[in-house]
Amino acid sequence: TPEQKAKQLPDPSGYRILCGIPEIDDKYDSGILKPDITQHHEELLTTVLFVMKMGPDCYKDQSRFPTGPWCKEGDFILVRPHAGTRVKIHGREFRIINDDSVEGVVEDPRGISRA
């Protein structure tokens, strides 16, 4: 069930953040279907992640984060391509990143793509 699958998500340790990858469109704006390999590369190289869980030590270092946390659970964030540890659970990819890997927070990730 979806509830059992949700319980299988790892809890990030220390200063790490568990992120989900937003759904990749299976079509171009023109309506043409994207090949599977293109969808895979877009997922692999995505720069937008969704913050799902934060480790207990995220943003606790006052000297590194004097203004407080850079993001919170439920935010869409920008990161570098290939950031973090890739994990597949029930066919969906997740990333575990360090708290200092966050490069920005976006309100609406639609339309953002890697340049």
Side-chain angles (χ1 to χ4, degrees):
T1 66
E3 293 82 24
Q4 290 171 322
K5 288 180 181 180
K7 290 178 185 176
Q8 292 180 334
L9 291 176
D11 289 322
S13 60
Y15 54 87
R16 294 188 176 76
I17 302 172
L18 175 67
C19 299
I21 296 179
E23 287 279 325
I24 302 298
D25 290 332
D26 63 347
K27 296 178 186 174
Y28 292 104
D29 291 339
S30 65
I32 296 173
L33 289 174
K34 292 180 183 177
D36 290 342
I37 191 70
T38 300
Q39 291 179 56
H40 174 72
H41 285 154
E42 286 182 11
E43 183 177 272
L44 179 68
L45 299 172
T46 187
T47 57
V48 177
L49 301 176
F50 180 75
V51 177
M52 299 179 70
K53 294 182 182 180
M54 297 177 77
D57 298 328
C58 282
Y59 303 112
K60 299 283 187 197
D61 186 342
Q62 293 294 324
S63 64
R64 293 182 69 207
F65 309 106
T67 59
W70 293 355
C71 66
K72 63 185 181 310
E73 290 179 8
D75 282 346
F76 286 99
I77 58 172
L78 296 175
V79 297
R80 292 176 180 258
H82 299 292
T85 302
R86 298 173 54 214
V87 178
K88 249 192 178 159
I89 302 171
H90 295 291
R92 294 293 313 252
E93 185 170 319
F94 297 87
R95 304 266 179 94
I96 298 176
I97 64 169
N98 295 338
D99 58 2
D100 62 355
S101 295
V102 175
E103 297 200 358
V105 175
V106 294
E107 189 172 315
D108 185 353
R110 291 176 289 192
I112 296 176
S113 62
R114 184 171 170 263

